Amino acid sequence: MNTPSNKVFQKVAEQITNNSTGWIGEVPGNKDHLIKGQTFIANEEGDLRAIKVFSNMVVKKSHVSITLHKFDTQNESWGQVLGASSVELKNTDAGKWVSFDIPGPHLNKGQAYGFRIDALDSYIGVGEACASSKQPVFKTGKEWQFTNKNPEGDSFSYISLAFKVEVAA
């Protein structure tokens, strides 16, 4: 995708520590289909350009999708889908930042959002950071895990995906 050269992109949220692997999709030996999510608060305003997630492991070619949602921090509930994207990952994508281009949705400074990432026909490992509940690595959001048996999901304040959210300023 070509972008105009006069556009400036800036990060509105990021957590780049990667000391663990979170599994997404149909993991062998697990009966549940796993979906990961991450919430964040936008520290700037702008039109979303991309969400990047660090890929630790890609077992085989896989279609991976991401959806962006508004997030209600008070009720810890996910709102409607604001944008979506998908990419096809290969083994050679392991150990790299994977960009999901989602041009369009406007992010407001101070507003909470979340994204969900799913491997549709395989499983992948994504980078995440593990810390402790007393000293979380990412203080303005939580990692989430959803399964077919638990579509409402569970959140974890001491774990965060490795991610970057970029907007056009």
Side-chain angles (χ1 to χ4, degrees):
M1 175 178 185
N2 292 330
T3 56
S5 59
N6 61 349
K7 290 279 187 174
V8 176
F9 299 112
Q10 63 183 16
K11 292 177 186 69
V12 297
E14 74 174 2
Q15 189 299 112
I16 58 171
T17 301
N18 174 26
N19 62 17
S20 182
T21 299
W23 297 103
I24 297 173
E26 303 288 335
V27 180
N30 189 335
K31 296 177 186 172
D32 294 329
H33 182 90
L34 303 175
I35 299 171
K36 291 284 187 184
Q38 177 68 48
T39 59
F40 64 92
I41 295 175
N43 62 16
E44 294 294 334
E45 184 169 333
D47 294 329
L48 184 63
R49 166 68 175 103
I51 297 174
K52 297 178 180 178
V53 178
F54 193 79
S55 170
N56 275 345
M57 181 179 285
V58 180
V59 178
K60 65 178 186 175
K61 190 183 332 182
S62 181
H63 293 88
V64 181
S65 68
I66 196 167
T67 54
L68 175 72
H69 304 255
K70 206 160 198 185
F71 186 77
D72 180 341
T73 56
Q74 187 173 17
N75 296 311
E76 291 216 331
S77 63
W78 293 74
Q80 69 184 35
V81 173
L82 301 174
S85 181
S86 63
V87 297
E88 184 175 270
L89 297 183
K90 307 176 289 304
N91 303 58
T92 56
D93 292 317
K96 298 178 182 175
W97 286 98
V98 176
S99 182
F100 294 88
D101 296 336
I102 312 173
H106 187 78
L107 303 186
N108 293 307
K109 182 177 182 176
Q111 178 66 52
Y113 300 92
F115 63 86
R116 295 183 191 195
I117 183 168
D118 189 8
L120 305 175
D121 50 7
S122 182
Y123 68 101
I124 64 168
V126 292
E128 62 183 6
C130 295
S132 72
S133 59
K134 293 183 181 185
Q135 286 191 320
V137 70
F138 185 66
K139 295 180 172 103
T140 62
K142 298 178 182 179
E143 182 174 315
W144 285 72
Q145 180 166 299
F146 306 90
T147 66
N148 46 335
K149 293 179 186 170
N150 184 10
E152 297 299 313
D154 292 313
S155 65
F156 306 93
S157 63
Y158 54 91
I159 304 174
S160 174
L161 293 179
F163 73 98
K164 301 175 185 181
V165 179
E166 297 177 346
V167 298

